[in-house]
Structures are given as structure tokens and as C-alpha cells.
Amino acid sequence: MALIVNGIEAPPPADPRVSLADYLRDHRHLTGTKIGCNQGACGACTVLVDGTRMLSCLMLAVQADGRSVTTIEGLGTPEALHPLQAAFVEHDGLQCGYCTPGQICSAVAMVEELRRGMPSHVTGDVGETTIAPTREELRERMSGNLCRCGAHNGIIAAIEDAFGLETAA
């Protein structure tokens, strides 16, 4: 088996103890994936595995064997930014930029979770299949990604703009 990283087949690491974050950075040279706390608390290492957001520092690369892994490099290019990348620039959703790849990967999956009607901790009625993308919902759903620069307001504005979400503020 192999991993599919940004649409390209990649062999799994020979050492089964390698984290997905280290595999992406050290073996695939995809340095957009950042390692912040290396304990799953900051979200800087967030990538998409089969479209679901995952903390790559807490996942072994061999666990992604046979699965599709998307990093920030797989979402857009410098010449053709993903709409959320462009919105981060437009809304000052990044300052130092260290957390930005994880924030963007997390937000891409988060919006799909929201559209599928998956409730969050702050969803009033967990039986509801249509959940309003309020700022409270967006902030709760992005709470696993920390920005030490304090760009959270710009990040939420970028998510709303990129995905055409109308919030109730």
C-alpha cells in the first residue's frame, strides 16, 4: 500500500514509529505542515485525511496507509490560492503565519462538517440537520487551532467570506 499525498502516491515510511507530521515534513518535504506543541493541543499540524481534519503529530504515518492525505500544499498554489488562503490574506487572518496552514486545513474540513449537519458543543439542538454558521459555532469548531498572534477575528471573517457563510454575528 501507499499513502496518497496531495494526489500523488507516496510509499509509507520504513519506520512505523514516524508520525504523519514528521513523515510529511521530513520524508515528503512538505514543510507547510507545522509542528507546534507536538501534543495535539495547538492544531498547527492539522491536515486532511480522507477529507477529515487530523492532528498529524498524533497520527502515525502508517495509519494513513491507503488513505488520501491533503496538506496546505495540496489546497492551492502561490499562483492559484485556495479561496480560503486568499480570504486569509484579505482579512488579515494571518500574522506570523505559523498556524495558518493548520487553520486553513481545519476550516476546510470544518465547513464540510457544518454543511453535513454535524453538531458542535455549542449547537443548541443536536438533532437539527441544518446548523446556522454563527460566529459562536465557527469559533467553537475552530477552537482546536490556536493563534498566538490573536488573529482569530480575521480567521473567522476569512472563513465566512471564503465559504459564503452568512452569520448572525
Side-chain angles (χ1 to χ4, degrees):
M1 278 262 184
L3 292 83
I4 306 299
V5 180
N6 297 333
I8 300 170
E9 191 172 299
D15 185 344
R17 299 171 296 174
V18 173
S19 75
L20 181 57
D22 287 335
Y23 173 75
L24 293 169
R25 291 182 56 79
D26 300 338
H27 298 244
R28 309 305 318 156
H29 308 292
L30 297 168
T31 56
T33 300
K34 304 298 186 214
I35 298 174
C37 67
N38 211 18
Q39 299 175 0
C42 73
C45 66
T46 304
V47 297
L48 304 174
V49 177
D50 292 335
T52 299
R53 51 186 165 170
M54 296 286 183
L55 298 169
S56 63
C57 74
L58 297 182
M59 183 175 187
L60 296 173
V62 294
Q63 292 176 292
D65 198 12
R67 302 172 75 182
S68 177
V69 177
T70 304
T71 68
I72 191 71
E73 292 93 342
L75 290 177
T77 66
E79 298 79 26
L81 295 176
H82 182 281
L84 187 54
Q85 291 171 314
F88 262 62
V89 173
E90 176 69 25
H91 294 279
D92 284 332
L94 57 126
Q95 289 184 15
C96 80
Y98 194 82
C99 72
T100 303
Q103 297 271 5
I104 289 175
C105 285
S106 187
V108 167
M110 179 273 299
V111 169
E112 288 307 311
E113 293 165 9
L114 185 63
R115 288 182 176 155
R116 288 195 315 259
M118 296 174 63
S120 77
H121 179 69
V122 299
T123 302
D125 180 356
V126 296
E128 234 1 271
T129 56
T130 302
I131 300 169
T134 64
R135 287 201 163 199
E136 183 182 19
E137 273 290 345
L138 298 181
R139 289 183 191 284
E140 169 59 23
R141 291 170 186 271
M142 292 299 294
S143 65
N145 290 78
L146 304 177
C147 171
R148 292 186 175 98
C149 300
H152 293 283
N153 289 334
I155 291 168
I156 295 301
I159 293 169
E160 292 169 334
D161 185 25
F163 295 105
L165 302 175
E166 293 182 29
T167 65

